[in-house]
Every structure is written in C-alpha cells, then in structure tokens.
Amino acid sequence: TFVVEKGASFEMRDSFLSYGGWTDEDGNRGLTIMTSHAVLVNCTVENCYYCLDLCGADHTTMENCLFLSDNAGVRLSSSPYTVIRGCVFKPVSKAYGAYMDVGLEGYSSDHLIMENCYLNRVGAWYKPSAIYVRNAVNITIRGNRMEYLAAFTYEYSHSI
C-alpha cells in the first residue's frame, strides 16, 4: 500500500503502480491520497483493491491514466474539486464476462468533474454501478465513452 499523508506534495507522471492494495480497509486499499493538489498524469495503476483512494484530498487532478482492477477504479471520500479527465477504467482480468466492480465511487465529494473518459465492462451484478456518487453537489459527467456497463447511481446528490 502506498499512502500520501495530509500536507505532503504528490505528483505522479508517466508511472506504473501494481499490486498496491488488497482489501477494502483503511490503509490497505491501494494508492491512498490524503493531501491537497495531488496530480496524476499518464499513469497506469493496476491490481489494487482501489486503484486510487482519495480520503479528504481536495483539488486532485487525474489525466490520461489507466485504471485496471477487478474491484474498483477510483474512490472519493470527502474529496471535493476532483477532476478526472481522459482516463480509462477496465477490469484487469481478460476472462470472458469479467467486470470491474465500480469505476468511480464517491461519497461527500462535491464539485466532481469526470470528462472524456472511457469505461469498459464496469459495474458488477452485485454492486451494480459503473459510477456511484452519494451526498454530493455539482457533479459533471460529460463526454465519456461507456460500453457494457451495469448502471449509474446518484443518491442524495444535486446539480448533476
């Protein structure tokens, strides 16, 4: 597991991270960012429980990243002003019928922008959301290409 603590500076460019997390438990999910103004550009993150876990991070930018996981792509928790642009979300498994459980999972993360991304085979039957956002306002999802998805869920969210 790779953790970026609050107050640290973090920029990841043209990089590859694999097997960074193994369970849905604080500190063990994958690349966990808890600081402000983190930047990820042209990165590949694969085989982590969550490819990217933002916890209390704000103003994070992800551009042209590849997220490969059979569990989840990006998880936001109290992480406002997140921008996800030009990223790809796919399951790591090449097996027939394989799906990533959820591409984007957000909780209390206002002012989210997700644009020009590609989601393929995202949203498993038991957690049926390619994009799941709860308790958030000002969410912009535009210009994305989506294939073989389960569903979208926006609970208690406004200005979508």
Side-chain angles (χ1 to χ4, degrees), residues 6 26 29 32-35 50 52-58 60 74-80 82 104-110 112 132 134-135:
K6 190 167 261 340
D26 286 346
R29 289 186 178 113
T32 300
I33 298 176
M34 298 184 285
T35 194
Y50 285 99
L52 183 59
D53 185 24
L54 301 180
C55 300
D58 61 86
T60 300
V74 174
R75 178 183 179 269
L76 310 173
S77 177
S78 300
S79 297
T82 298
L104 173 66
E105 185 173 347
Y107 303 94
S108 303
S109 297
D110 299 339
L112 164 68
Y132 177 90
R134 183 181 176 115
N135 295 330

Side-chain angles (χ1 to χ4, degrees), residues 9 14 39 42 78 82 84 91-92 95 99 104-105 107 109 117 122 124 132 137 144 155:
S9 294
D14 304 314
V39 175
N42 298 324
S78 300
T82 298
I84 305 168
V92 72
Y99 275 76
L104 173 66
E105 185 173 347
Y107 303 94
S109 297
C117 294
V122 178
Y132 177 90
V137 297
N144 298 293
E155 291 184 337

Side-chain angles (χ1 to χ4, degrees), residues 90-105:
K90 292 172 36 175
V92 72
S93 175
K94 305 276 191 265
Y96 177 78
Y99 275 76
M100 177 187 282
D101 289 352
V102 62
L104 173 66
E105 185 173 347

Side-chain angles (χ1 to χ4, degrees), residues 16-149:
F16 178 84
L17 175 66
S18 186
Y19 294 99
W22 63 91
T23 186
D24 186 10
E25 179 180 293
D26 286 346
N28 296 321
R29 289 186 178 113
L31 175 55
T32 300
I33 298 176
M34 298 184 285
T35 194
S36 298
H37 300 282
V39 175
L40 290 91
V41 178
N42 298 324
C43 297
T44 297
V45 182
E46 70 172 19
N47 289 314
C48 301
Y49 191 86
Y50 285 99
C51 289
L52 183 59
D53 185 24
L54 301 180
C55 300
D58 61 86
H59 294 89
T60 300
T61 301
M62 292 159 261
E63 292 184 356
N64 303 318
C65 293
L66 175 60
F67 298 112
L68 299 169
S69 174
D70 290 336
N71 294 307
V74 174
R75 178 183 179 269
L76 310 173
S77 177
S78 300
S79 297
Y81 299 99
T82 298
V83 176
I84 305 168
R85 186 176 290 125
C87 295
V88 174
F89 297 80
K90 292 172 36 175
V92 72
S93 175
K94 305 276 191 265
Y96 177 78
Y99 275 76
M100 177 187 282
D101 289 352
V102 62
L104 173 66
E105 185 173 347
Y107 303 94
S108 303
S109 297
D110 299 339
H111 308 286
L112 164 68
I113 297 174
M114 182 180 192
E115 61 186 3
N116 302 323
C117 294
Y118 176 59
L119 290 88
N120 180 272
R121 294 183 296 142
V122 178
W125 62 271
Y126 54 88
K127 192 174 192 176
S129 289
I131 299 173
Y132 177 90
V133 180
R134 183 181 176 115
N135 295 330
V137 297
N138 296 324
I139 302 162
T140 303
I141 309 286
R142 66 176 166 230
N144 298 293
R145 188 171 137 215
M146 304 178 191
E147 297 177 338
Y148 308 108
L149 303 183

